[in-house]
Amino acid sequence: MKRGIEVDKYWNPILETMPREKLQKLQLKKFQGILKWSYENSPFYRDLYQSVGLEPGDIKTLDDIRKVPKTEKSMLREAQGREPYPYGSILAVPIEQVTEYRQTTGTTGQPVYHPETWQDWEWSAESWAYVLYAHGYRDYDRVFIPFGYSLYIAFWAGHYAAEKVGCEVVPGGVLNTEARILKMKELRTTALMATPTYLLGMADVARKKLGIDPAKDLYVKKITAAGEAGGSIPTTRKRIEEAWGTKVYDHVGASEIGHWGYECEAQCGLHVNDAFHLVEIEDIETGATITEPGKRGSMVVTTFDRFAHPCVRFDSKDVIEWNPAERCECGRTFRLLKGGVIGRADDITKVKGVLLAPTAIEEAVRGIPELGDEYEVVVTKKGDIDDITLKAELSPDFKGDADAVKEKLAQQLRVKTNLRYNLEFHDYGTLPRYDVKAKRFKDLRPKE
Ligand SMILES: [Zn+2]
């Protein structure tokens, strides 16, 4: 054993297999704690709660939590325009205590700045450490992280968490994809963390440019996929697992929330990280709380024990659904979601009057073995009618009848999305490739 590392610290049966009733009591206590902290220390939260006449002492049961006003990204963005610069009125600690700067990618506008104190940062890495342990990371693993170590949180906490678990971590920072693959081969790294898009892209580069088959010529035994939905989309996951010859485990998190969900080795769906977060699901149209499986809704999440930039009843717009399975084979009592994040409430859009989740298109395309990994969807309007074009690539070794593949794809798309598409096949390698998060869904209809 390495000095100073307790190998099994991140399997905590007292916490992770705690009876639900006891766990809920713990969550209520944690919720009350962060609510009181936010009220007393963050001008943003105090103003918000005072505006509806809410005092922290009003929350006495888990049902009472619904009285607490929700927050959302636009509110965070607005609050950060005030003092102290640049974090604004959400900041709940003296600014001298801030030790880390992060920001959101800002794909939907001005980025949200995210401060961490050293204590919050340790907490963040700690919650990731539970995730990695559940993915099978142990002190004998050598972990490769092919990530740009940039302004975004991405795999920063994953790096420190792997160290906390006792792994040896290789930062794949500024290397290009080929150099990263060669370094993984040279060092015989056994674990890897990346986005699903990049995992597929890396495998492609390894085969085409270096003549390396990741499943046979590399030593990777476990992969953590994060940053996109693909780790929980069965057909995408299968492609990554086949390309790398190993298991892929999904992980979900965001800078303003932390690491709120993960798969375990039993892969029964995503576990909510219940010891660190309270996850609620709300009906997108009515706002009613959804407690039963079978209905999708938007996630409202509270993060416990992170104090500089509290996250209390944050409407993340991630669309999720409870799992019908009560218990997981792994023994954890942390609640399960069916699949992973189905999409974002903003991305789930009506096309020809039908609700369309881009993840359903991905599932259909990646389920056709004759097609490559890349695709693109473009929605436009012709007159009053929506028009959808799906561009895909035939796999480079495909020699058969393209029309038969088109027929198969059209049928899968009908089953998964209830819509008809104009299908275009392009030469392999001609659609855009993405290094981190992909933008494959383009809605070019005029905004109403
Ligand atoms: Zn489990």
Side-chain angles (χ1 to χ4, degrees):
M1 188 197 289
K2 291 179 195 173
R3 281 188 68 174
I5 304 276
E6 292 167 54
V7 170
D8 277 338
K9 189 178 165 198
Y10 297 105
W11 168 236
N12 180 345
I14 299 174
L15 189 66
E16 291 169 88
T17 66
M18 188 184 276
R20 287 287 322 158
E21 213 168 281
K22 220 171 144 191
L23 189 57
Q24 283 179 340
K25 275 191 192 150
L26 176 76
Q27 289 188 306
L28 175 62
K29 214 172 132 215
K30 292 267 186 191
F31 185 92
Q32 289 165 329
I34 194 69
L35 184 70
K36 187 164 184 282
W37 170 268
S38 306
Y39 186 90
E40 288 173 356
N41 297 284
S42 160
F44 164 85
Y45 280 104
R46 190 165 50 248
D47 289 351
L48 179 66
Y49 299 151
Q50 284 179 344
S51 72
V52 295
L54 181 98
E55 297 284 329
D58 298 344
I59 305 308
K60 298 192 171 67
T61 67
L62 278 176
D63 284 340
D64 288 342
I65 285 173
R66 285 173 224 162
K67 295 179 194 161
V68 177
K70 287 186 287 181
T71 52
E72 57 174 56
K73 214 168 206 161
S74 59
M75 295 161 83
L76 307 187
R77 235 179 243 134
E78 196 193 309
Q80 75 185 9
R82 310 200 182 112
E83 286 301 313
Y85 192 79
Y87 305 111
S89 58
I90 295 183
L91 193 70
V93 295
I95 198 160
E96 301 75 36
Q97 289 183 18
V98 174
T99 56
E100 327 278 327
Y101 170 88
R102 311 280 178 230
Q103 65 175 59
T104 60
T105 41
T107 41
T108 50
Q110 166 78 3
V112 173
Y113 306 133
H114 188 86
E116 308 250 27
T117 61
W118 185 249
Q119 186 193 0
D120 284 353
W121 180 237
E122 286 257 36
W123 176 92
S124 195
E126 186 87 358
S127 70
W128 248 101
Y130 279 95
V131 172
L132 294 181
Y133 195 88
H135 292 178
Y137 288 60
R138 296 296 181 269
D139 61 349
Y140 47 75
D141 280 307
R142 183 174 292 141
V143 184
F144 192 78
I145 308 189
F147 148 64
Y149 291 83
S150 60
L151 294 167
Y152 314 121
I153 185 81
F155 294 97
W156 274 109
H159 178 119
Y160 288 110
E163 292 181 341
K164 264 181 178 278
V165 172
C167 306
E168 179 185 340
V169 184
V170 184
V174 294
L175 303 176
N176 67 18
T177 301
E178 279 121 302
R180 283 169 171 169
I181 294 159
L182 293 172
K183 189 52 79 179
M184 288 173 69
K185 186 162 190 266
E186 174 194 339
L187 296 178
R188 302 185 181 181
T189 51
T190 58
L192 175 63
M193 296 177 205
T195 61
T197 289
Y198 193 56
L199 288 164
L200 287 169
M202 274 182 110
D204 200 42
V205 168
R207 283 189 306 258
K208 304 267 156 48
K209 297 204 173 149
L210 301 168
I212 288 175
D213 177 354
K216 295 202 187 88
D217 305 327
L218 298 181
Y219 304 81
V220 179
K221 298 282 182 293
K222 62 205 66 132
I223 291 177
T224 299
E228 294 173 329
S232 282
I233 297 175
T235 53
T236 296
R237 181 215 292 272
K238 188 161 171 266
R239 283 187 176 225
I240 304 172
E241 290 188 339
E242 281 173 4
W244 287 89
T246 186
K247 284 277 184 196
V248 170
Y249 301 102
D250 197 14
H251 159 83
V252 285
S255 3
E256 57 278 51
I257 304 168
H259 319 287
W260 63 269
Y262 60 97
E263 272 186 306
C264 65
E265 286 179 279
Q267 294 191 306
C268 313
L270 281 185
H271 279 287
V272 172
N273 207 344
D274 276 331
F276 294 83
H277 302 271
L278 179 74
V279 166
E280 305 165 69
I281 307 181
E282 277 195 353
D283 188 294
I284 296 167
E285 268 149 32
T286 66
T289 303
I290 298 172
T291 53
E292 299 297 320
K295 198 156 192 280
R296 294 171 173 188
S298 182
M299 175 171 82
V300 177
V301 61
T302 300
T303 304
F304 309 139
D305 306 314
R306 201 160 65 149
F307 299 104
H309 198 268
C311 172
V312 184
R313 295 207 81 221
F314 178 69
D315 186 352
S316 76
K317 317 275 185 211
D318 286 315
V319 178
I320 53 174
E321 181 179 341
W322 294 118
N323 197 312
E326 274 289 308
R327 291 294 292 252
C328 180
E329 289 164 34
C330 72
R332 287 178 183 83
T333 46
F334 290 3
R335 280 168 310 169
L336 287 167
L337 299 179
K338 188 177 172 198
V341 173
I342 297 149
R344 293 186 45 78
D346 314 335
D347 296 342
I348 295 182
T349 166
K350 269 197 178 159
V351 179
K352 297 182 186 173
V354 175
L355 277 180
L356 173 66
T359 48
I361 300 175
E362 177 167 331
E363 197 178 345
V365 174
R366 300 260 170 90
I368 311 278
E370 294 88 349
L371 296 179
D373 298 325
E374 280 308 331
Y375 65 94
E376 189 172 275
V377 183
V378 185
V379 184
T380 54
K381 220 173 178 85
K382 287 202 173 140
D384 282 341
I385 299 165
D386 292 335
D387 192 65
I388 328 174
T389 300
L390 191 150
K391 303 174 188 176
E393 295 176 351
L394 283 164
S395 130
D397 6 291
F398 176 74
K399 303 267 184 303
D401 175 7
D403 285 340
V405 180
K406 261 187 196 168
E407 186 57 37
K408 196 150 90 174
L409 177 61
Q411 193 253 345
Q412 277 305 307
L413 287 164
R414 261 198 307 276
V415 172
K416 300 253 183 327
T417 70
N418 258 320
L419 288 166
R420 283 174 196 276
Y421 299 71
N422 313 313
L423 297 180
E424 289 177 8
F425 285 167
H426 291 245
D427 287 343
Y428 188 80
T430 55
L431 289 176
R433 260 61 182 167
Y434 300 90
D435 266 1
V436 191
K437 292 193 189 195
K439 286 191 199 79
R440 300 190 178 94
F441 189 85
K442 297 185 174 147
D443 191 344
L444 305 180
R445 292 173 293 183
K447 297 264 180 298
E448 278 164 25

